[in-house]
Amino acid sequence: MGLFRRKKPTSAPAAEPSAHEGPPLPPPPPPGPKSISLGLQGGGSHGAFEWGVLDRLLEEPELKIEAISAASAGAMNAVVTAAGLAEDGPRGAKAKLDQFWRAVNQAGGRNVFGDSAIWTAAFNPRWLQANPFYRYFEGMMASASPYEFNPFNLNPLGEVLAETVDFAAVRSAPVKLFISATDVIEGKARIFSSHELSAQVVLASSTLPLLFQAVEIHGRPYWDGGYVANPPLWPLFGLDTPGDVLIVMLNPMRRAELPKTAGEITDRLNEISFNAALAGELKSVAMIQQLAEEGLLTEAGVARFQRLMIHAIEADGHLDDLSLESKFDTEWGFLTDLKARGRKAAEQWLHHHLAEVGVRSSFDIRSRFS
């Protein structure tokens, strides 16, 4: 099963298939590495899970990453990967990711993902999550504006990016990038393409509004892109990107138990909120698939699309034991544990689904979202 991608009109179009015949089968994949696009979710320091996924995918000789769409922490991984690819191919990308996440760890006292380090340096975050006094303090902090408690708009991510990423290399990299941010005034997604990328764009895509001031780009304020596109998939549906899209999720879709404590409820609300945009896009994909297969699109409508194949590495089963507070944790042992989880998840996906790339979707979005 797959979504159908718009085709460019030609001066002498071939005869269009009947809508009842279903979509045309994709051509056999060409010899050599299989081209894929990646969709990278945001999720604070859980982005180190994506670090592990990327680390393993970059080693795979049968895959070639040609496009990445991302938000927030996913945007960080995307630009770092692109910079490394531009400098020294997959080996350079792996080294650059290692350098970036080490810099994140070393900035821990001024936490890149929100300054909880004052508290986590003294207490275990899992203990804090269950402590009512911490929750009381957390509630008080939520009532304060970053324009009040952070008037100088200090954001250590800017220093980390300056230390590790050459944005001239990012803009010239052999991989297309699409980074989302939330337009605060319009309340909609703004997608920045490769030629527009800068440290300010990554800061905008990663700015949680209760922790950091909005980032202005060309006079417009932006917040974290995960609120409206996490990650944005529609830029990957064009003809200039691979027909296979692998989504790497950082927020579990399912939970085994009903959340009952204040902390558990807050965590689950955040997961649902940051999955909502992705779930909406995937539901639309499933609807288009069903309409096309049931012959409910016009012949001309079907002829204007070509097949797109969806794959996914889900957080479920890999990250669902982690709390919301752990997204602020930049301790090196925790980050490297997440990297190991990501490598394991990527290895499992490659073992079970690599053969399906270029052939069919390995993620059944219809059963999940229709």
Side-chain angles (χ1 to χ4, degrees), residues 19 26 66 101 188 217 292 307 311:
E66 293 196 0
W101 283 99
K188 62 183 181 182
I217 300 175
R307 184 174 290 263
H311 313 275

Side-chain angles (χ1 to χ4, degrees), residues 41-91:
Q41 268 199 333
S45 65
H46 291 188
F49 175 80
E50 289 174 339
W51 169 27
V53 170
L54 288 164
D55 192 71
R56 177 61 186 90
L57 295 182
L58 288 163
E59 295 173 356
E60 181 52 56
E62 294 188 47
L63 281 183
K64 182 180 180 182
I65 301 169
E66 293 196 0
I68 305 176
S69 186
S72 197
M76 302 178 201
N77 282 320
V79 298
V80 172
T81 299
L85 287 171
E87 294 173 9
D88 192 21
R91 182 176 61 181

Side-chain angles (χ1 to χ4, degrees), residues 47-59 76-85 87 89-107 160 163-165 330 332 335-340 343:
F49 175 80
E50 289 174 339
W51 169 27
V53 170
L54 288 164
D55 192 71
R56 177 61 186 90
L57 295 182
L58 288 163
E59 295 173 356
M76 302 178 201
N77 282 320
V79 298
V80 172
T81 299
L85 287 171
E87 294 173 9
R91 182 176 61 181
K94 284 167 60 68
K96 186 65 68 175
L97 284 162
D98 287 356
Q99 180 190 5
F100 172 79
W101 283 99
R102 172 58 80 177
V104 166
N105 163 253
Q106 292 173 346
V160 172
E163 176 185 340
T164 59
V165 181
T330 57
W332 187 242
L335 296 179
T336 53
D337 172 66
L338 287 172
K339 178 188 180 184
R343 281 191 59 90

